Amino acid sequence: MEHMLLLFILFIPILGLTNGTETEQDFTWHLKKIPQIMSERTFSLESPKFEAKTNLELNSVCGIECQRKLPLPSLSDLKDLLSYETVFENGTRTLTEVNVLGLVPDPAGNTTTRRATRKKRQIYGTDSRFSIYDKRFMTNFPFNTAVKISTGCSGILISPKHVLTAAHCLHNGKDYVKGSKRLRVGLMKTKSRGDGRKRKGARRSRREVSAAQKDPEDATELRQQSKGGRRKQRRSGRKQETSDRMPSFQWTRVKSTHIPKGWFKGVSGDIALDYDYAVLELKRPHKRKYMELGISPTIKMMPRSMIHFSGFDNDRSGQLVYRFCSISDESNDLFYQYCDAEPGSTGSGIYLRLKEPNKKKWKRKIIAVYSGHQWVDVNGEQQDYNVAVRITPLKYAQICFWIHGNDENCTQG
């Protein structure tokens, strides 16, 4: 199964090249000039209560159909929506107001593209998810970029010190969720087959030496117990080998979190899915390969409109779960997609593989954040869809600003 998975990952972009009249030149990362986010003022705010319950399914949110009816936000609106809160590990909180420079208005407005009749629910027919067991995949790119958030979500590494996830994993629109004050991020590591046994054996040997000095008969009994324990280990070796393939986590404390003001109720009128993203700054840098951000292309610029993401679904405890699927609908800010997913995978980074400009090399970049299985307004009725928040030029600029500050690294994406 793992070898088939590798073949899927390697050949999906190539399969897309044979779709109709599409050509290889269509599937390239096109660099765009990015608007600039500049901080203007920062205020201290009252510390959050951290009393909200984590809710991975949202109700009455503005989805693609709702967005069609909305006017384009003005520059003043955007400056307010892209201002952001920062919460630090000691519980203090600030609000930073921003300015937006070099913004090019989108003449298309809130346009949408519909591919096919959408299906509902989190699992569509046969479950097409893959659990990653083989450590050759689990501890290597791109799977090793997936992380677990201590509030029950997933995320993805986007720099040596930063993680991208969904805002509702940390904040319900009114208050920060319980557990987000002492937020931690779990980076995957594979269990060593010999973990703990040497130390256990060493303790037993010292007990034998100590017992022999006091009573030779006690020492003999301990040696017999030790042999019995080793026989048990040999008999259960196959079971241990299976459990050894499961990942464990190296947990790292979060130094600060950034959430756009557009996510908070009262600013946008209600929860707006298009601002369901957040960035966590780790207290200590990791030494792993991370995935770069990219500007989300339109469906027609994706091989077979296919996306990929990995996360830690609750129904497969302790397992990293990978999936790929096609997008059904898109607007300027959201995707609806068919990916099988369960709670726990929310906040995963959705990525795409396209060619680098003027090169033959294919490169993965993050183009969206999985917001999860959400209830959205469709013509006044509630319907459930799997939703992802696209990384637009403005969102790219903001996330890049959170990583690098007022830096030239954020001029193109």
Side-chain angles (χ1 to χ4, degrees):
M1 178 62 75
E2 287 120 356
H3 296 297
M4 289 181 63
L5 172 62
L6 181 59
L7 289 174
F8 273 128
I9 297 168
L10 289 175
F11 291 109
I12 280 172
I14 297 173
L15 289 172
L17 301 179
T18 63
N19 185 14
T21 59
E22 291 168 340
T23 63
E24 187 174 352
Q25 285 73 26
D26 292 327
F27 306 119
T28 303
W29 292 112
H30 297 286
L31 293 179
K32 297 181 180 179
K33 189 174 180 180
I34 302 300
Q36 190 175 8
I37 302 291
M38 300 283 293
S39 62
E40 291 196 324
R41 290 180 294 178
T42 299
F43 307 90
S44 294
L45 299 178
E46 184 181 351
S47 294
K49 295 179 180 179
F50 298 102
E51 293 179 349
K53 292 182 179 179
T54 304
N55 184 11
L56 301 185
E57 279 195 12
L58 305 176
N59 294 302
S60 300
V61 295
C62 185
I64 288 178
E65 289 82 3
C66 168
Q67 287 187 351
R68 290 194 186 107
K69 304 173 185 177
L70 298 178
L72 285 175
S74 66
L75 179 59
S76 176
D77 292 334
L78 288 173
K79 289 165 64 174
D80 192 34
L81 295 167
L82 292 169
S83 295
Y84 61 92
E85 280 192 9
T86 302
V87 172
F88 300 92
E89 60 179 332
N90 62 0
T92 58
R93 178 174 55 152
T94 62
L95 170 66
T96 301
E97 294 181 348
V98 303
N99 193 11
V100 181
L101 305 177
L103 178 65
V104 178
D106 185 354
N110 282 323
T111 57
T112 63
T113 300
R114 182 166 293 173
R115 302 271 306 176
T117 303
R118 284 177 313 230
K119 302 177 184 178
K120 302 177 186 179
R121 300 206 294 218
Q122 295 156 283
I123 302 297
Y124 304 102
T126 303
D127 192 343
S128 60
R129 295 172 296 167
F130 297 86
S131 290
I132 309 297
Y133 293 112
D134 195 320
K135 66 180 182 181
R136 290 173 298 176
F137 293 106
M138 196 187 305
T139 59
N140 285 291
F141 189 85
F143 302 114
N144 67 337
T145 61
V147 298
K148 192 174 179 69
I149 311 297
S150 58
T151 54
C153 291
S154 299
I156 189 166
L157 299 172
I158 56 172
S159 90
K161 287 191 72 174
H162 295 87
V163 171
L164 180 65
T165 188
H168 77 263
C169 294
L170 315 171
H171 195 286
N172 72 346
K174 292 183 177 180
D175 188 20
Y176 289 83
V177 302
K178 295 177 181 178
S180 61
K181 183 176 181 179
R182 301 183 183 276
L183 200 59
R184 296 181 302 154
V185 169
L187 283 72
M188 276 189 303
K189 63 176 183 177
T190 52
K191 294 179 181 178
S192 171
R193 193 170 289 182
D195 277 357
R197 284 190 227 167
K198 290 184 179 179
R199 293 191 298 272
K200 196 171 182 180
R203 285 196 298 270
R204 195 154 46 229
S205 297
R206 287 194 293 270
R207 285 167 54 204
E208 289 174 13
V209 170
S210 176
Q213 293 171 346
K214 296 177 181 178
D215 190 334
E217 290 183 4
D218 288 345
T220 302
E221 185 179 349
L222 281 169
R223 280 195 295 271
Q224 290 173 347
Q225 291 174 359
S226 178
K227 289 178 183 177
R230 283 194 289 269
R231 281 195 295 270
K232 277 185 179 181
Q233 285 178 357
R234 283 195 293 271
R235 283 196 299 269
S236 63
R238 182 170 295 184
K239 184 177 180 181
Q240 288 174 351
E241 184 177 348
T242 302
S243 64
D244 286 340
R245 298 167 71 193
M246 300 292 286
S248 59
F249 295 96
Q250 175 186 343
W251 292 96
T252 301
R253 291 287 298 273
V254 171
K255 181 180 178 181
S256 62
T257 66
H258 303 296
I259 299 179
K261 195 177 170 186
W263 171 250
F264 305 133
K265 286 185 178 179
V267 176
S268 55
D270 204 341
I271 284 179
L273 279 182
D274 37 328
Y275 290 96
D276 189 13
Y277 59 94
V279 168
L280 317 178
E281 182 182 359
L282 303 178
K283 196 168 183 179
R284 296 180 182 85
H286 61 84
K287 297 181 180 179
R288 303 174 183 226
K289 188 175 180 180
Y290 57 89
M291 197 175 295
E292 294 180 20
L293 293 175
I295 304 297
S296 174
T298 59
I299 291 176
K300 65 181 181 181
M301 301 303 292
M302 303 179 188
R304 291 188 175 271
S305 70
M306 201 73 71
I307 56 173
H308 313 250
F309 66 96
S310 301
F312 299 94
D313 300 50
N314 289 347
D315 66 330
R316 299 192 184 186
S317 179
Q319 300 177 25
L320 176 65
V321 183
Y322 162 77
R323 71 226 82 199
F324 63 92
C325 68
S326 59
I327 297 169
S328 57
D329 274 11
E330 68 174 353
S331 68
N332 285 356
D333 291 285
L334 300 176
F335 286 139
Y336 287 164
Q337 35 82 3
Y338 293 142
C339 286
D340 290 330
E342 289 285 347
S345 60
T346 301
S348 299
I350 292 177
Y351 61 89
L352 184 65
R353 231 179 144 199
L354 295 177
K355 281 187 62 179
E356 292 191 85
N358 304 317
K359 295 182 182 179
K360 295 182 179 180
K361 186 177 178 182
W362 294 80
K363 187 172 185 176
R364 297 175 180 87
K365 290 186 180 182
I366 305 162
I367 61 162
V369 180
Y370 180 49
S371 184
H373 175 247
Q374 311 297 9
W375 291 86
V376 300
D377 286 322
V378 181
N379 299 322
E381 296 182 357
Q382 290 289 291
Q383 294 189 18
D384 58 327
Y385 298 117
N386 282 354
V387 183
V389 181
R390 298 177 66 174
I391 296 180
T392 62
L394 267 177
K395 291 170 192 162
Y396 182 101
Q398 183 172 56
I399 295 169
C400 192
F401 171 75
W402 286 339
I403 297 172
H404 299 289
N406 297 324
D407 198 303
E408 293 182 357
N409 288 326
C410 304
T411 57
Q412 286 189 327

